[in-house]
């Protein structure tokens, strides 16, 4: 892929401001400039950024309906009535259910959980689940990571004498369900200071409020933080504000004292002894937690995450890992088939979006394939399949384009839809697919900007190898945890050369292991360029080239630095 490198050099005034700010903080001016780019412009703000405090979490009772929700939970527990904790089958939903169920079961002996079957029941609340709840005398349902559009289902639950608390973070419609309480920081009338919580984060705030109301010490909530960070990383919500606090302390918990079920997954991923990062969650832990809901039933995930015995947890984690292996095979095949459909489109160069449909595709993997298509073709993508007579699928977007609004513009063609700015699930009748393709493409064509369809790399700063001192790396680590809203900085170094020992590596000789020097330092720097072996011939010519990269720790050599090369191009003349 030919990336466009985007870099806006700081003005002399900005450089001077960064120099002064860096001197105040005792950090390199380049890192001070990164803080300023994050709207952190004074020492107190920087201290809060580098040292997030749990005491800075917002008062949960600032959230609309929180007082009503806590009163309802207190009443049901006081009367000994049954509670059912219900959640989505993805990583966010399963962690949310685990947080609420595992905390409340210390205070109620009459509580259960329910994860719907993706294939038999579909997404969100269903009458089948509500009927099961009524049959088991449930008086209160706590619905997590879904439910914000379940108007009919909540009305049905109410008709059966079941109160409902909705804890969701998806974009609501103007009309909210008639639930006892609707906890959602994206409500248009929201009074809550932070709107980007994950579904699990909303569940955590409910438990925080319950604890606060009942005089339960906050430290009783700390064992839940490893699940919060898994949801934040796995659901790709912004790592800013309150999420940064939860993610920061969640990572500390994940690295020091994870729950038994999470520890089993860590062992399964061979991550023991490694300092776990958000990337480890996104690429290793999260996909395994997701796999159960994609391939079988998310109940198995919650059973693992609530398991107390190590041996049983290892056994459960092993089963989930097998689901993940099957998922990877199906994912690979579907991505290849979707790519063939796209490559066969006669008007591909004119399209601003991609909508592909195959009625035989696996429903649980369409979201992953949609993400792959956006990465390969850099266009908003919708992947559809057939399930129980309806066409269902997932949409994924490119940076800066709100795919929720694009899907919403087609709502008259849809039976159901819901999601976020960058990811949406949708359902429609088969006969509406052609009209949906046309309408969706028209909306994208009219609203997407040209630069949003270009594969680009945003460069944070241009530096020399001599800038990357041990202190620079140590201070850079304080920017963790990285994610949306706080991306890992990508640096550029110009006029670098092969030291003479770089080589192609990998099972299929697809990567380059690099040893580099630049023209301002005698320091030899190690790097790895994944999937860029086509550049090896140029590198070996001894000519200068420019690189952009992130600074990583070599996992095979603890404490040693390694550059992860994002892109390579011939050096421009100075």
């Amino acid at each position: 892929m030919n990336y466009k490198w985007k870099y806006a050099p700081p003005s002399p005034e900005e450089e001077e401001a960064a120099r002064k700010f860096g001197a105040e903080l005792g950090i390199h001016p380049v890192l001070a400039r990164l803080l300023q780019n994050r709207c952190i412009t004074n020492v107190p703000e920087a201290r809060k950024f580098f040292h997030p405090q749990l005491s800075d979490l917002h008062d949960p009772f600032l959230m609309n309906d929180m007082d009503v929700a806590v009163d309802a939970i207190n009443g049901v527990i006081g009367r000994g009535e049954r509670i059912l904790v219900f959640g989505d089958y993805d990583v966010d939903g399963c962690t949310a259910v685990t947080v609420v169920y595992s905390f409340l079961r210390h205070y109620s002996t009459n509580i259960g959980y329910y994860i719907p079957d993706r294939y038999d029941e579909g997404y969100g609340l269903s009458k089948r689940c509500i009927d099961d709840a009524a049959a088991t005398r449930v008086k209160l349902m706590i619905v997590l990571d879904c439910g914000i559009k379940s108007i009919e289902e909540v009305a049905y639950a109410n008709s059966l004498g079941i109160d409902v608390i909705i804890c969701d973070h998806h974009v609501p419609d103007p009309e909210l369900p008639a639930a006892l309480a609707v906890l959602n920081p994206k409500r248009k009338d929201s009074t809550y200071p932070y709107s980007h919580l994950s579904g699990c984060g909303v569940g955590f705030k409910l438990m925080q409020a319950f604890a606060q109301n009942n005089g339960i010490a906050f430290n009783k909530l700390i064992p839940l933080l490893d699940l919060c960070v898994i949801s934040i990383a796995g659901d790709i919500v912004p790592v800013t504000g309150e999420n940064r606090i939860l993610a920061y302390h969640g990572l500390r918990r994940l690295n020091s004292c994870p729950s038994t079920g999470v520890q089993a997954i860590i062992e399964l991923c061979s991550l023991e002894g490694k300092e776990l990062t958000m990337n480890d969650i996104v690429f290793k832990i999260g996909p395994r937690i997701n796999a159960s809901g994609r391939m079988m039933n998310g109940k198995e995930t919650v059973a693992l995450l609530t398991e107390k015995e190590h041996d049983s947890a290892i056994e459960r984690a092993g089963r989930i890992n097998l689901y993940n292996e099957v998922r990877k095979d199906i994912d690979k095949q579907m991505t290849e088939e979707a790519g063939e459909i796209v490559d066969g489109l006669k008007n591909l160069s004119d399209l601003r979006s991609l909508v592909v449909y195959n009625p035989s595709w696996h429903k649980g993997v369409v979201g992953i394939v949609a993400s792959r298509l956006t990465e390969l073709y850099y266009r908003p993508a919708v992947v559809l399949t057939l399930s129980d007579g309806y066409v269902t699928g997932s949409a994924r977007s490119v940076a800066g384009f709100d795919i929720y609004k694009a899907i919403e513009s087609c709502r008259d063609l849809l039976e159901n839809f819901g999601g976020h700015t960058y990811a949406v699930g949708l359902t429609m009748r088969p006969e509406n697919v052609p009209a949906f393709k046309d309408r969706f493409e028209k909306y994208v064509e009219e609203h997407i900007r040209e630069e949003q369809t270009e594969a680009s790399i945003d460069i944070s700063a241009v530096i020399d190898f001599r800038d990357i001192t041990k202190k620079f790396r140590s201070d850079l680590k304080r920017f963790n945890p990285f994610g949306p809203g706080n991306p890992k900085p990508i640096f550029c170094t110009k006029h670098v050369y092969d030291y003479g020992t770089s080589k192609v590596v990998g099972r299929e000789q697809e990567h380059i292991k690099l040893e580099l020097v630049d023209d301002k330092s005698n320091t030899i720097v190690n790097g790895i360029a994944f999937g860029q072996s086509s550049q090896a011939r140029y590198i070996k010519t001894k000519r200068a080239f420019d690189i952009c990269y992130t600074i990583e720790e070599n996992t095979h050599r603890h404490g040693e630095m390694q550059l992860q090369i994002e892109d390579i191009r011939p050096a421009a003349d100075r």
Side-chain angles (χ1 to χ4, degrees):
M1 182 176 287
N2 295 317
Y3 289 102
K4 180 177 181 180
W5 294 15
K6 293 183 178 179
Y7 177 59
S11 67
E13 294 77 16
E14 288 171 333
E15 282 189 328
E16 178 60 17
R19 186 192 64 76
K20 288 181 178 178
F21 192 28
E24 287 184 272
L25 295 170
I27 64 175
H28 196 288
V30 162
L31 300 182
R33 179 70 185 143
L34 294 183
L35 287 176
Q36 291 170 329
N37 290 341
R38 288 158 171 74
C39 299
I40 297 166
T41 56
N42 59 56
V43 173
E45 288 174 348
R47 285 177 181 154
K48 280 197 170 188
F49 180 80
F50 285 139
H51 303 287
Q53 300 296 312
L54 289 168
S55 58
D56 286 331
L57 290 173
H58 299 305
D59 180 351
F61 286 99
L62 293 174
M63 194 176 292
N64 305 57
D65 292 353
M66 186 64 81
D67 53 345
V68 177
V70 172
D71 285 347
I73 294 171
N74 286 337
V76 168
I77 291 175
R79 294 188 294 272
E81 295 172 337
R82 185 156 179 78
I83 301 171
L84 183 67
V85 183
F86 177 100
D88 189 19
Y89 35 64
D90 70 355
V91 62
D92 193 15
C94 288
T95 52
V97 167
T98 305
V99 160
V100 173
Y101 171 76
S102 61
F103 192 73
L104 286 183
R105 70 177 174 176
H106 293 295
Y107 308 99
S108 170
T109 57
N110 198 4
I111 185 169
Y113 64 83
Y114 191 105
I115 304 290
D117 187 288
R118 183 190 290 262
Y119 305 97
D120 290 345
E121 298 170 79
Y123 173 79
L125 271 177
S126 66
K127 288 190 175 182
R128 170 176 157 179
C129 165
I130 295 166
D131 285 338
D132 286 349
T136 54
R137 299 183 180 178
V138 167
K139 291 298 180 183
L140 177 67
M141 289 183 68
I142 302 174
V143 179
L144 294 142
D145 193 35
C146 57
I148 198 63
K149 294 189 175 185
S150 300
I151 291 172
E152 292 182 10
E153 291 80 6
V154 169
Y156 182 63
N158 291 342
S159 73
L160 297 179
I162 301 172
D163 287 329
V164 180
I165 296 171
I166 292 172
C167 301
D168 205 352
H169 70 133
H170 296 99
V171 179
D173 282 338
E175 181 185 358
L176 298 177
L180 190 66
V182 178
L183 309 180
N184 187 327
K186 289 191 177 76
R187 283 174 56 161
K188 287 189 176 178
D189 62 345
S190 176
T191 55
Y192 196 68
Y194 187 72
S195 62
H196 300 299
L197 291 169
S198 65
C200 181
V202 179
F204 180 85
K205 297 305 294 188
L206 176 60
M207 294 302 92
Q208 183 188 358
F210 174 80
Q212 194 171 305
N213 181 260
N214 287 281
I216 301 165
F218 182 86
N219 63 18
K220 297 289 186 183
L221 295 163
I222 289 177
L224 307 174
L225 292 175
D226 59 348
L227 297 168
C228 289
V229 71
I230 289 171
S231 80
I232 289 166
D235 215 50
I236 319 180
V237 294
V239 188
T240 59
E242 197 163 33
N243 280 345
R244 178 170 173 82
I245 299 171
L246 293 171
Y248 178 88
H249 289 278
L251 279 176
R252 292 180 68 177
R253 184 79 189 180
L254 196 64
N255 279 290
S256 62
C257 189
S259 66
T260 304
V262 172
Q263 176 63 34
I265 300 172
I266 291 170
E267 292 177 23
L268 197 72
C269 298
S270 301
L271 292 173
E272 283 183 292
K274 178 185 183 298
E275 184 179 357
L276 301 176
T277 66
M278 299 292 271
N279 269 0
D280 293 312
I281 300 171
V282 171
F283 294 109
K284 295 184 178 180
I285 296 172
R288 285 168 171 81
I289 291 177
N290 256 332
S292 180
R294 291 189 188 281
M295 308 310 299
M296 293 295 289
N297 191 294
K299 289 178 185 177
E300 291 192 56
T301 297
V302 178
L304 167 62
L305 296 177
T306 54
E307 181 60 65
K308 298 295 184 184
E309 296 296 326
H310 179 264
D311 289 348
S312 296
I314 290 292
E315 184 181 338
R316 291 183 186 279
R319 285 201 297 272
I320 285 175
N321 193 55
L322 288 176
Y323 299 149
N324 193 51
E325 292 302 312
V326 173
R327 187 274 305 166
K328 286 194 285 188
D329 289 341
I330 294 172
D331 163 12
K332 184 171 184 271
Q333 180 183 340
M334 282 175 55
T335 300
E336 289 173 355
E337 291 173 357
E340 288 172 3
I341 293 173
V342 173
D343 291 339
L345 295 172
K346 292 180 181 179
N347 61 336
L348 177 59
S349 60
D350 299 325
L351 293 176
R352 286 291 175 267
S353 69
L354 299 173
V355 180
V356 293
Y357 171 46
N358 183 326
S360 66
W361 279 338
H362 197 289
K363 181 181 177 182
V365 187
V366 290
I368 298 175
V369 176
S371 294
R372 303 260 192 259
L373 293 182
T374 62
E375 292 166 8
L376 288 168
Y377 299 94
Y378 223 73
R379 283 169 241 196
V382 184
V383 177
L384 303 169
T385 188
L386 191 66
S387 178
D388 293 329
Y390 287 93
V391 171
T392 185
S394 289
R396 298 292 185 269
S397 193
V398 294
F401 183 76
D402 189 337
I403 203 165
Y404 183 89
K405 288 183 179 177
I407 298 294
E408 187 178 40
S409 73
C410 307
R411 68 182 307 153
D412 58 302
L413 299 172
L414 305 176
E415 298 298 305
N416 195 13
F417 74 99
H420 315 280
T421 301
Y422 294 120
V424 179
L426 62 157
T427 303
M428 71 186 84
R429 295 182 183 277
E431 59 267 26
N432 288 344
V433 171
F436 171 81
K437 281 186 180 182
D438 293 341
R439 182 96 63 83
F440 182 74
E441 167 65 18
K442 188 171 187 291
Y443 181 95
V444 175
E445 184 180 19
E446 291 174 354
H447 292 85
I448 202 164
R449 300 190 306 274
E450 189 64 34
E451 62 267 24
Q452 291 174 327
T453 64
E454 298 173 333
S456 62
I457 294 175
D458 291 315
I459 294 170
S460 304
V462 175
I463 60 175
D464 300 320
F465 287 163
R466 65 188 176 189
D467 294 319
I468 313 174
T469 62
K470 190 172 183 179
K471 183 177 185 330
F472 185 96
R473 290 157 50 197
S474 176
D475 289 337
L476 180 61
K477 283 185 73 173
R478 296 164 68 194
F479 280 74
N480 276 296
F482 295 115
N486 182 40
K488 182 173 286 189
I490 296 176
F491 299 102
C492 172
T493 299
K494 297 184 176 182
H495 278 252
V496 306
Y497 301 85
D498 173 28
Y499 184 67
T501 48
S502 299
K503 59 183 179 181
V504 174
V505 296
R507 185 177 298 174
E508 298 178 12
Q509 299 286 283
E510 67 271 42
H511 315 308
I512 314 173
K513 182 174 173 54
L514 297 151
E515 288 189 329
L516 305 171
V517 293
D518 66 7
D519 60 1
K520 293 184 179 179
S521 168
N522 293 322
T523 306
I524 302 169
V525 177
N526 294 315
I528 183 75
F530 292 114
Q532 298 182 59
S533 59
S534 61
Q535 301 276 18
R537 182 175 294 180
Y538 181 88
I539 289 168
K540 284 297 185 181
T541 64
K542 299 290 186 178
R543 286 181 284 180
F545 52 95
D546 301 339
I547 57 172
C548 56
Y549 54 88
T550 59
I551 299 173
E552 310 290 345
E553 186 174 287
N554 190 329
T555 55
H556 300 295
R557 296 181 179 178
H558 185 68
E560 285 193 15
M561 179 186 74
Q562 177 174 265
L563 308 184
Q564 183 165 311
I565 312 297
E566 300 295 322
D567 201 19
I568 301 168
R569 68 184 185 189
D573 292 333
R574 295 204 175 200

